[in-house]
Amino acid sequence: MTISLMKLFPLSACAVMVLAGCEGEAVVPDTQLITGATFITMEAGPSPEAMAIKDGRIIAIGAQETLRVAYPDALQRDFTGKTIIPGVVDSHVHARELGMDAIKVDLVGVKNVDDIVARIRAQRPDATPGEWIIGQGWDEGAFADLGGPGGYPTTQALSVAYPDTPIALEALHGFAAMANDSALAKAGITAATPDPEGGTILRRDDGQPSGVLLTLSQALLFNAVPSLDQAQIERAIVVGLETLAAQGVTSVHEAGMEGRDVEAFTALADRGELPIRVFGLLNGNDGALMAEWFDRGPLDDPQDRLDIGGIKVFYDGSLGSRTALMRAPYSDRPDTARPTARISLAEVESLGEDARTYGFQMAVHAIGDEANANILTSYERRLAPNETRPTPDHRWRIEHAQVVTADFAERAAALNVIASMQPSHAMGDSDWAEDRVGPRRIRRAYAWKSFQDAGVPIIFNSDLPGEPWAPMETLHFAVTRTKLDGSPAGGWYLGEALDREASLRAMTLTGAYAAFQDDSLGSLAVGKWADFVVLSDNPLTATDIRPITVEATYVAGQEITKTPAN
């Protein structure tokens, strides 16, 4: 599939005029010359002074005067005082969900069910009885310590406040949901409803549903919520990608594409309406979808607009909801834990065999130490060379790798398995994570530096929406191990932080490597796409990363965000 560059990234006439003014026919210059900025290339060697671009790719990089002589007719863009970095590759996102947040009640930061009621009243003051209200963002980790069935509060306050309006509320990380009585009734969830395989309906002492559903039981609720149509899904995707672009993200790995997502992303790509690049990871838990794609094979776009080449598999649950698979019981409330395998290990191994046969990358969600060990074992069985089959350039991944066994890093490095990790999760979980696993296991959790020292390839990403996700926030978390307010003082297990250059590499070049795109993305080098970000300050030297702003984002040499006025 080849997509027109100008169709994907249209420019106004004024933006591309070589002649002064906006009269006459617009002319796209053959070459652009970027000067004045501090360049962070993520390549070896001294920092260049200028970069030349033609047909969307970098054609030269080096001394400013040399390039000016070589390209005297180039359109010059001066970014004196700014810093230019390669476009950020956010290698684990849910862009459609980010776009859909505009129609959801934002519950990030609520502390209890009364807070949720207040937030809904503030954001949906004109709610119509009978019409669904959808929200997202309550923290299943924090709520699991509030008391009640399974550690969670009941949703009685929601039912009292909204007796005739069905309410379905997604948790921050997607491993639990809340519903009021009206929503439970519409979904047909009663005291007699059995727990589905891989899921738990939390219940009060009288057997009635408490209103909280863990892991796969959420489907019972959300299957009753009216579905979006194709146009709404496409709009949500575009809004999500545009939001990402405004923060300097030029490429994403969409994790867990459903069938309708694939249709929407493909339709947008065919019409040239994807604002940034997308590498798709299919929902590996959907057997019918995978059968279809194993039959057709990966989608490899020569222009790197929309590639679909990976499989995202949900294996276990989450640490916060105590549904992650742990080798030993949870340290705080083992009686309320519901360790969950959302797919059997045999099914994961079957997917791995098909992935290797048909040329797909595996990316498996694993949070607990038992889950991570199991997935590594599965990978070893599928990737180990034999007399007829050498080890492929697989670039298989483990998504999250939050809590691991003592031998995990050594085993992962031997297989060259990529650890796909989220600095925001470490900081978001830091208030309660040690309670869950205890003082010994916490030292093998969110262990970025230990992984790096062992030779494990690391990619940093956001897993948005949920925790703070902007790239400069991710970088701050990675290098300081503190929240945005600077707490805790001295950093949370600071010894596992990475330095700034290594963290930025994990967000750019290694992210491109994880999608088999490091020959065309992830650094500023001759022959690669001219995807770059203009920043207000240098993230490698600034005293504080948090105030750094994105002033412009470029994809294939074309600005896709407006530069703020001086």
Side-chain angles (χ1 to χ4, degrees):
M1 177 177 61
T2 301
I3 303 172
S4 164
L5 173 66
M6 290 306 296
K7 188 177 180 183
L8 259 174
F9 304 111
L11 290 176
S12 68
C14 294
V16 297
M17 288 288 286
V18 176
L19 301 176
C22 295
E23 298 180 358
E25 183 179 356
V27 178
V28 178
D30 287 334
T31 307
Q32 300 177 67
L33 188 59
I34 311 299
T35 63
T38 297
F39 290 86
I40 300 173
T41 66
M42 303 314 301
E43 296 280 344
S47 177
E49 298 175 333
M51 178 171 67
I53 300 167
K54 183 175 182 179
D55 297 330
R57 292 188 182 270
I58 299 170
I59 59 171
I61 193 163
Q64 181 171 290
E65 286 307 312
T66 301
L67 267 60
R68 278 181 171 160
V69 170
Y71 305 103
D73 298 324
L75 174 66
Q76 296 196 25
R77 299 186 185 276
D78 183 9
F79 290 105
T80 297
K82 309 303 180 184
T83 295
I84 288 177
I85 66 171
V88 173
V89 179
D90 196 332
S91 49
H92 185 130
V93 306
H94 305 281
R96 172 179 57 80
E97 292 183 23
L98 178 64
M100 287 176 63
D101 277 357
I103 65 173
K104 296 178 182 177
V105 176
D106 178 9
L107 300 176
V108 174
V110 295
K111 303 298 184 184
N112 51 51
V113 180
D114 288 337
D115 278 359
I116 291 175
V117 172
R119 192 76 66 89
I120 293 173
R121 283 176 171 160
Q123 295 184 30
R124 297 292 185 272
D126 301 321
T128 301
E131 292 187 3
W132 284 82
I133 291 177
I134 309 299
Q136 194 273 340
W138 62 276
D139 188 338
E140 61 264 58
F143 271 64
D145 289 334
L146 296 184
Y152 291 89
T154 70
T155 58
Q156 182 179 2
L158 272 177
S159 299
V160 171
Y162 293 93
D164 302 314
T165 300
I167 298 175
L169 308 176
E170 304 168 44
L172 186 64
H173 299 302
F175 294 95
M178 282 188 182
N180 65 348
D181 288 346
S182 177
L184 292 172
K186 286 185 176 293
I189 301 172
T190 70
T193 304
D195 288 347
E197 184 177 356
T200 304
I201 302 169
L202 296 183
R203 305 172 195 270
R204 303 192 306 250
D205 291 341
D206 62 2
Q208 293 295 328
S210 74
V212 177
L213 303 103
L214 303 181
T215 54
L216 296 189
S217 66
Q218 296 176 78
L220 301 176
L221 171 66
F222 290 112
N223 285 343
V225 178
S227 300
L228 299 179
D229 62 29
Q230 185 74 13
Q232 290 172 314
I233 294 173
E234 290 181 12
R235 180 57 186 158
I237 289 170
V238 170
V239 169
L241 295 179
E242 288 177 341
T243 303
L244 281 150
Q247 293 294 334
V249 177
T250 59
S251 179
V252 297
H253 301 177
E254 182 73 3
M257 283 182 167
E258 306 287 350
R260 295 189 69 190
D261 296 329
V262 174
E263 293 175 9
F265 275 99
T266 302
L268 289 167
D270 287 344
R271 297 198 304 269
E273 295 175 5
L274 288 176
I276 60 178
R277 306 183 192 278
V278 177
F279 177 78
L281 297 160
L282 299 162
N283 178 9
N285 296 62
D286 184 333
L289 179 68
M290 292 317 309
E292 173 190 345
W293 276 86
F294 286 145
D295 184 59
R296 68 183 286 182
L299 174 64
D300 185 9
D301 173 17
Q303 301 297 308
D304 295 317
R305 306 303 185 196
L306 175 63
D307 291 336
I308 299 177
I311 305 168
K312 163 67 183 304
V313 182
F314 278 102
Y315 180 42
D316 71 338
S318 73
L319 196 62
S321 61
R322 300 185 184 89
T323 53
L325 294 175
M326 300 297 296
R327 182 156 287 184
Y330 281 81
S331 298
D332 54 353
R333 298 186 61 173
D335 56 313
T336 65
R338 302 289 195 282
T340 302
R342 301 174 68 161
I343 185 173
S344 72
L345 195 57
E347 290 174 293
V348 174
E349 294 192 357
S350 177
L351 280 168
E353 184 62 29
D354 285 338
R356 175 163 177 162
T357 299
Y358 297 110
F360 285 87
Q361 175 193 58
M362 288 287 283
V364 180
H365 165 111
I367 298 285
D369 55 4
E370 180 71 7
N372 280 288
N374 287 349
I375 296 306
L376 272 187
T377 298
S378 169
Y379 282 6
E380 286 166 346
R381 290 171 179 163
R382 293 295 167 265
L383 298 176
N386 57 41
E387 59 276 5
T388 61
R389 199 165 67 166
T391 300
D393 180 15
H394 55 83
R395 307 190 194 185
W396 286 13
R397 305 158 47 157
I398 293 184
E399 305 302 306
H400 311 303
Q402 276 188 5
V403 186
V404 299
T405 54
D407 62 349
F408 176 90
E410 181 182 357
R411 293 174 64 196
L415 278 181
N416 202 39
V417 167
I418 298 166
S420 172
M421 307 185 78
Q422 301 74 38
S424 62
H425 284 191
M427 301 323 305
D429 297 354
S430 61
D431 290 336
W432 46 259
E434 188 165 350
D435 292 339
R436 295 289 188 278
V437 300
R440 180 179 58 84
R441 288 184 292 189
I442 197 65
R443 295 187 178 277
R444 297 197 300 270
Y446 315 92
W448 315 325
K449 185 65 162 58
S450 295
F451 287 3
Q452 176 185 261
D453 291 348
V456 178
I458 298 172
I459 53 177
F460 279 155
N461 45 57
S462 68
D463 192 16
L464 63 80
E467 303 284 2
W469 59 264
M472 290 301 105
E473 294 172 335
T474 298
L475 189 62
H476 165 82
F477 297 143
V479 304
T480 69
R481 302 274 292 204
T482 65
K483 300 178 184 180
L484 294 177
D485 64 5
S487 67
W492 187 64
Y493 291 99
L494 186 60
E496 288 294 349
L498 295 190
D499 65 34
R500 297 188 186 205
E501 184 172 356
S503 297
L504 190 59
R505 182 175 300 276
M507 298 166 62
T508 53
L509 186 56
T510 315
Y513 166 84
F516 299 88
Q517 294 173 332
D518 49 312
D519 59 344
S520 58
L521 302 175
S523 66
L524 303 179
V526 173
K528 292 194 173 187
W529 292 112
D531 295 1
F532 60 93
V533 185
V534 181
L535 299 176
S536 61
D537 203 348
N538 187 335
L540 299 187
T541 60
T543 302
D544 189 347
I545 296 168
R546 290 168 293 181
I548 297 175
T549 59
V550 172
E551 305 213 347
T553 303
Y554 284 74
V555 175
Q558 305 294 345
E559 184 178 358
I560 58 172
T561 57
K562 294 291 184 181
T563 303
N566 293 329

